[in-house]
Amino acid sequence: MQRICVIGGSRYFGKLLVKRLRDAGHRVTVINRGSAPPPAGVEHLVVDRDDETALTARLGSRTFDVVVDQVCYTPVQAAIAVRAFAGRTRRYLMTSTIEVYDPATAALPAVPAGTPVREENVDPATWQSVMDLPWHDDAYLQARYAEGKRQAEAVFARAGGFAFASVRSAHVLGGGEREFTGRLAHYVGRIAKGEEITVHAKALPTVFIHYEELADLLLWAATAAFTGPVNACSDGPLDVRDLGAVIAAQAGREPVYRVVAAGEDASPFSFDRHYAMSNARAKELGFSFSHTADWLPGAVAEALATEPSPTT
C-alpha cells in the first residue's frame, strides 16, 4: 500500500485511474477544484492548483509516496507543484502527450517516416522553460499545448527534489460519451451520416491507446521505479483511412473523403507529418500493450451507440 496523490482525476481515464488505485489497496487523495467528487474511500482536497498559497495550506502536513499529475499544462504550474510538493513526495509522475513530438510545434530532430519516435527525441532535461510568457491566457495555451507540456516536463526534470517520470500518451479513444474530446465521434458521426471527411493526400499513421489501457499503464507507472519519459500507445499504428475502414465496417456506410490542399487543416487524425511513437521503452520496463485491433471495434461500437440516427 502506498500513499498516492492524484491531481485532477475527475473524468475519463483519470477518474478510472483513481478507482483502480483505490481498488489496488492504495491510500488515495484527489486534488481538484471540486468539479466532481472522487469515488468512496478516496480523500478529496478541493483547491485550485494554480493558487500556490492555497494549495500549500490545503496540503497541510500530508506527505505522499507518489504524486500523479493529470492536469499540468505549463511550466508555471509545474514550478508551483515543485515548490508545493518539495519534501512531501518521493516520486512525481506527470501525464504528458504525444504532441510533444509534433515537428510542427518546435525545432525537433528529424525522424524518418515509418520510424517510431523514441523518448530521447524530446529530452526534458535539456529543454528550455520560459516562465514569463502568457501561460495563464487560455487562447495562448491552447495554441501552444505541446510546448506547454514540453516545458512543464523540463521544470520537473530539473527540480531535483523527487524522482520524476512522465507518461506521454497517444491519442486516447474509447468510452463513448466519456471520450470528451469528441474526435472519434467526429468520424463516426460523419461516416454514419454520409458527410465528407477532410484528409491529406498522403496522410501518415499515428498511434492510439484505449482509455482503460492508459489507466492501467498509469497505475503501473505510479508504483514503478523508472524515471524520465515513457511513451504509451497500443501496438498497431493507423492512418485516417484505416480508422475510417474500421468505422465503415460497423456503420455499414463507406466514408466520403475530400483531400485538402497542402498546408490546409484536415480532420483530427489526418496528419501530414510524422510523429507516431515507439512503445519499446515501456515494454522493456515490463508493461504489455494490447493491439489497436483488439479494442478499436468496441470503441467504435460505443460511439455508434451514442450517435443519433440520421433523419430522413
Side-chain angles (χ1 to χ4, degrees), residues 50 74 76-77 80 131 133-141:
D50 295 335
T74 74
V76 174
Q77 291 178 321
I80 289 172
M131 300 295 178
L133 294 173
W135 293 114
H136 294 96
D137 181 88
D138 288 342
Y140 181 89
L141 178 56

Side-chain angles (χ1 to χ4, degrees), residues 29-107:
T29 297
V30 167
I31 293 175
N32 60 34
R33 291 178 295 184
S35 57
V42 172
E43 182 183 35
H44 190 196
L45 301 182
V46 178
V47 65
D48 185 346
R49 65 161 306 149
D50 295 335
D51 186 335
E52 184 173 351
T53 301
L55 175 60
T56 303
R58 195 73 179 90
L59 286 169
S61 61
R62 292 173 180 82
T63 60
F64 307 98
D65 295 298
V66 187
V67 175
V68 183
D69 195 338
Q70 296 281 77
V71 289
C72 187
Y73 302 107
T74 74
V76 174
Q77 291 178 321
I80 289 172
V82 166
R83 292 189 293 269
F85 288 95
R88 296 182 189 272
T89 187
R90 294 185 295 102
R91 192 160 181 272
Y92 204 102
L93 179 69
M94 173 187 157
T95 303
S96 191
T97 173
I98 184 177
E99 301 305 330
V100 301
Y101 301 116
D102 185 352
T105 63

Side-chain angles (χ1 to χ4, degrees), residues 190-269:
R190 286 186 170 271
I191 291 173
K193 296 171 185 173
E195 297 173 351
E196 70 178 22
I197 296 168
T198 54
V199 298
H200 296 98
K202 295 181 179 179
L204 296 171
T206 189
V207 285
F208 300 90
I209 191 166
H210 192 273
Y211 84 105
E212 292 184 356
E213 184 166 34
L214 182 54
D216 288 339
L217 186 139
L218 288 165
L219 171 62
W220 164 78
T223 54
F226 70 88
T227 58
V230 66
N231 295 335
C233 58
S234 300
D235 293 330
L238 299 173
D239 65 32
V240 65
R241 293 178 185 267
D242 296 329
L243 176 63
V246 175
I247 297 169
Q250 295 193 57
R253 195 162 193 170
E254 288 303 308
V256 178
Y257 295 114
R258 177 173 68 83
V259 175
V260 300
E264 283 188 31
D265 290 335
S267 56
F269 295 134

